Amino acid sequence: MAWTRRNVLTATGAAAAVIVLGPVREPVQAHPRAGAAAWNHDPASPIGPGRWDDLGYPVCGRARGQSPVDIRTGRVVARRGAPLQLRYETSEMLVANTGHAVSVSIPARVHDKLRIGDDVYELSEFHFHAPSEHTFDGRTADVEAHFVHTGAGGESAAVGVLYRRGHHPNPVLDQILRSASTTSGKVTDAGPANPADLLRHLRLGSYYAYTGSLTTPGCAGGLRWSVLADGGEVSPAAVARMHQLIARFPDYGGYPDNNRPVQPRNGRTITHILPEVPTT
């Protein structure tokens, strides 16, 4: 299908509305497989982020290009560039409590696409962290969504979207977070929705780009990050439920957060992509 204004979700567009049922797509390994060493997000824990490399995930502690990072808005390089173009479809929202995050898998017959310039990626899954993992000028948001995509050559691209508590919450975001099971490993059906509804009304031509990694073990690098600072609002009730779920994750010992601490930039450039100037 051609990438036209008719079928691409941009800053003001709309996405397809086809409900698709069936098996889910195999996700990018944002969370380790069964049998891997136990870990959690508690910095004070012997299996927390500072010890992940000792638990059999050496990349997490030794690689230099790790995520998340603190985005200092006064220290970024601004340039005009290609917007994030999304062509997502409506499908059932199968919401999983993974024991480390609330995650939504994509049905295998759905082909949700992200395009950045000439590069095209397919959405594998999206999941949520509370509070946010990326920070802006040292400040966290209440929730961060990660939309994880894979390119035809196996390369990965993630879109991070930050949400803050407010009185005008995104209804799809609330629906997902409030429907997640309190039981680790259990999947619930939150009904049909379009992942693009989590990004509606956002300025997809303005975002922060850098090269980083997955934020959970094994912290694989080379990930193309695009981070949107203002994704809108989430209800206080949904945020509270998210923290209640996290506190009940196995091996978390009641710790209520699932955000990895920010990592050193180590000389990496963070680029503020600005909307391209329309040609006449």
Side-chain angles (χ1 to χ4, degrees), residues 75-246:
R75 301 179 184 177
V76 299
V77 176
R79 68 170 177 83
R80 299 192 183 276
L84 305 177
Q85 296 181 317
L86 308 177
R87 182 163 59 84
Y88 289 170
E89 301 176 11
T90 296
S91 61
E92 74 274 23
M93 295 285 104
L94 299 179
V95 181
N97 176 336
T98 70
H100 294 289
V102 171
S103 177
V104 180
S105 298
I106 305 303
R109 289 182 291 171
V110 173
H111 300 284
D112 292 335
K113 301 291 187 180
L114 162 68
R115 181 171 182 169
I116 310 175
D118 295 329
D119 300 324
V120 180
Y121 307 88
E122 187 157 337
L123 182 63
S124 300
E125 56 95 10
F126 57 97
H127 59 269
F128 301 91
H129 298 269
S132 69
E133 297 202 298
H134 289 93
T135 60
F136 279 82
D137 298 318
R139 295 189 295 272
T140 61
D142 293 292
V143 172
E144 181 173 349
H146 291 167
F147 297 82
V148 184
H149 305 75
T150 304
E155 65 279 13
S156 297
V159 178
V161 186
L162 278 63
Y163 301 88
R164 290 169 176 80
R165 278 178 287 192
H167 298 296
H168 303 283
N170 183 300
V172 175
L173 176 58
D174 262 40
Q175 175 185 352
I176 292 171
L177 296 184
R178 298 179 74 168
S179 67
S181 172
T182 57
T183 303
S184 176
K186 187 172 181 179
V187 178
T188 57
D189 189 347
N194 192 319
D197 290 334
L198 293 166
L199 298 98
R200 289 207 186 279
H201 311 302
L202 303 189
R203 297 176 58 202
L204 300 182
S206 178
Y207 57 94
Y208 294 84
Y210 78 100
T211 300
S213 71
L214 294 175
T215 64
T216 55
C219 308
L223 188 67
R224 181 178 188 172
W225 274 102
S226 303
V227 184
L228 295 158
D230 184 8
E233 296 183 346
V234 57
S235 73
V239 174
R241 177 169 173 78
M242 181 76 175
H243 287 292
Q244 291 169 359
L245 291 176
I246 296 167

